[in-house]
Amino acid sequence: MKLPSAVQIGHMRVSVVAMPERSGSRKDADGWFDYQRATIEVWDGLAPQVKAEILLHEILHAACIAGNTGLEGDAEERAVNGLAPVLLMMLRDNPELFNEMREAVK
């Protein structure tokens, strides 16, 4: 999967970069959202379908902040872990719905 260079999430334009390797404090993470830098990092060594899920996972973390959800820590992680794979399959299985939605908000 080719990562986008950036995504717009609410008020934030978030850069997306590939992590060539896991290192430092992120060596156990497949992805990372850094609010202060408005950056999402995704490990480049993942299979395409996993990379897509990790990217969406990190986008949802950013959306939690942009949307002022009040979720933090474990509660946010549980919500994002549950929503990312379901939303990814909804995108895959309902392309016409998302095309219609995109048209509706132009």
Side-chain angles (χ1 to χ4, degrees):
M1 174 193 174
K2 183 179 183 291
L3 294 172
S5 61
V7 292
Q8 189 69 35
I9 305 167
H11 67 284
M12 297 180 288
R13 180 128 179 104
V14 179
S15 298
V16 178
V17 296
M19 292 188 295
E21 59 185 46
R22 298 177 189 163
S23 62
S25 63
R26 299 183 187 135
K27 67 181 176 183
D28 293 331
D30 290 333
W32 187 265
F33 169 62
D34 186 326
Y35 176 72
Q36 287 77 21
R37 291 179 31 229
T39 301
I40 289 173
E41 297 178 0
V42 178
W43 182 42
D44 203 33
L46 298 168
Q49 65 273 23
V50 177
K51 193 181 287 188
E53 183 179 338
I54 296 301
L55 176 59
L56 183 55
H57 177 105
E58 299 308 329
I59 287 170
L60 288 172
H61 277 300
C64 285
I65 291 172
N68 195 24
T69 63
L71 294 174
E72 295 178 8
D74 288 341
E76 180 180 321
E77 196 63 34
R78 278 193 309 275
V80 167
N81 277 337
L83 288 171
V86 173
L87 288 173
L88 190 59
M89 293 304 94
M90 286 173 53
L91 285 166
R92 182 195 69 189
D93 296 339
N94 301 285
E96 66 290 340
L97 171 64
F98 289 95
N99 288 337
E100 290 294 325
M101 292 174 100
R102 188 175 22 258
E103 287 298 316
V105 297
K106 275 189 175 179

